Amino acid sequence: EDKVVQSPLSLVVHEGDTVTLNCSYEVTNFRSLLWYKQEKKAPTFLFMLTSSGIEKKSGRLSSILDKKELFSILNITATQTGDSAIYLCAVEAGRGGGATNKLIFGTGTLLAVQP
Amino acid sequence: DSGVTQTPKHLITATGQRVTLRCSPRSGDLSVYWYQQSLDQGLQFLIQYYNGEERAKGNILERFSAQQFPDLHSELNLSSLELGDSALYFCASSVAPPDTQYFGPGTRLTVL
């Protein structure tokens, strides 16, 4: 059965701290791994990773995928209170060519950044 | 604003009833996905359409059905509603799988 596991479930940090969020997966026909940030509304897209070892970066956020060990990490440096949210990891699995695919979500990591 | 629109924003109904949720994808996106998010289950993939055709099915109950119309908007029909169907229902769209999915604001369904 396909599964995506995120850790930790939640963490509380102070502003300025650096955090690392983990996502491990076991799926058949892996196609990509996605990170989303969800505050009080709909998820917003952060990164999509398809290749191992290539870091994607956006401001203070960065992410990397290890397809051999089947995990990804999301790093946030110099955290701010506005980073407080649930961070969701999802793995896209499918047979390719626009055919059937599905998105499997982890349960998320709740990050609280205190001033 | 992702460009994906969902209506209604909030829906309250009684058990046994039927409701329809509507989603308009971003301009140019051909693929629509439906998700259910409840407190105890987290985010669950329900079903995906691509250019009017069903492409993937997840944990969608038989009481639920969906379709994508020629103008690419999609509707999710929920029937014989139960208390446990209360959840946030998200629609997402992408140009084509496996492209990045962009989520709409969601429809909150409350079944009393």
Side-chain angles (χ1 to χ4, degrees), chain B residues 13-104:
Chain B
T13 190
T15 54
Q17 297 299 304
R18 172 190 170 90
V19 297
T20 298
L21 313 184
R22 194 177 189 280
C23 169
S24 292
R26 295 186 320 159
S27 177
D29 285 359
L30 299 178
S31 198
V32 170
Y33 307 76
W34 284 99
Y35 297 88
Q36 179 194 58
Q37 185 173 41
S38 57
L39 284 175
D40 58 341
Q41 292 283 325
L43 197 63
Q44 300 279 324
F45 168 69
L46 295 178
I47 197 164
Q48 179 217 344
Y49 284 85
Y50 175 73
N51 205 18
E53 293 185 3
E54 181 185 302
R55 281 306 181 101
K57 257 188 175 179
N59 301 323
I60 187 166
L61 299 172
E62 285 190 10
R63 300 183 285 109
F64 297 179
S65 65
Q67 58 181 126
Q68 186 179 29
F69 294 86
D71 68 351
L72 301 177
H73 91 270
S74 178
E75 291 180 359
L76 177 68
N77 299 296
L78 315 176
S79 62
S80 302
L81 285 168
E82 301 175 0
L83 296 177
D85 297 327
S86 296
L88 199 52
Y89 291 84
F90 286 111
C91 165
S93 74
S94 67
V95 174
D99 289 347
T100 302
Q101 298 176 27
Y102 294 89
F103 283 74

Side-chain angles (χ1 to χ4, degrees), chain A residues 31 36 38 41-43 45 48 92 98-103 105, chain B residues 33 35 37 43 45 48 55-56 90 97-98 100-101 103-105:
Chain A
R31 293 185 60 76
Y36 289 87
Q38 184 172 25
K41 39 196 177 182
F45 170 77
M48 181 168 74
E92 195 146 22
T100 54
N101 71 326
K102 56 183 177 180
L103 202 63
F105 279 83
Chain B
Y33 307 76
Y35 297 88
Q37 185 173 41
L43 197 63
F45 168 69
Q48 179 217 344
R55 281 306 181 101
F90 286 111
T100 302
Q101 298 176 27
F103 283 74

Side-chain angles (χ1 to χ4, degrees), chain A residues 6-113:
Chain A
Q6 291 186 246
S7 64
L9 290 177
S10 69
L11 70 165
V12 180
V13 299
H14 289 291
E15 272 192 313
D17 290 350
T18 294
V19 297
T20 298
L21 310 183
N22 302 283
C23 175
S24 62
Y25 61 91
E26 289 180 31
V27 302
T28 52
N29 299 315
F30 172 91
R31 293 185 60 76
S32 64
L33 185 144
L34 300 92
W35 285 97
Y36 289 87
K37 176 183 181 182
Q38 184 172 25
E39 296 169 269
K40 291 182 181 176
K41 39 196 177 182
T44 53
F45 170 77
L46 294 176
F47 299 109
M48 181 168 74
L49 305 158
T50 55
S51 302
S52 261
I54 298 175
E55 185 183 53
K56 293 247 179 141
K57 203 167 168 62
S58 176
R60 296 177 293 102
L61 276 66
S62 63
S63 184
I64 197 161
L65 174 67
D66 186 328
K67 289 168 77 172
K68 182 180 175 185
E69 300 297 329
L70 308 182
F71 78 93
S72 173
I73 60 172
L74 175 69
N75 277 319
I76 308 174
T77 59
T79 52
Q80 303 171 356
T81 55
D83 295 328
S84 298
I86 296 173
Y87 289 83
L88 294 164
C89 169
V91 172
E92 195 146 22
R95 290 197 284 273
T100 54
N101 71 326
K102 56 183 177 180
L103 202 63
I104 307 119
F105 279 83
T107 51
T109 292
L110 176 61
L111 171 64
V113 181

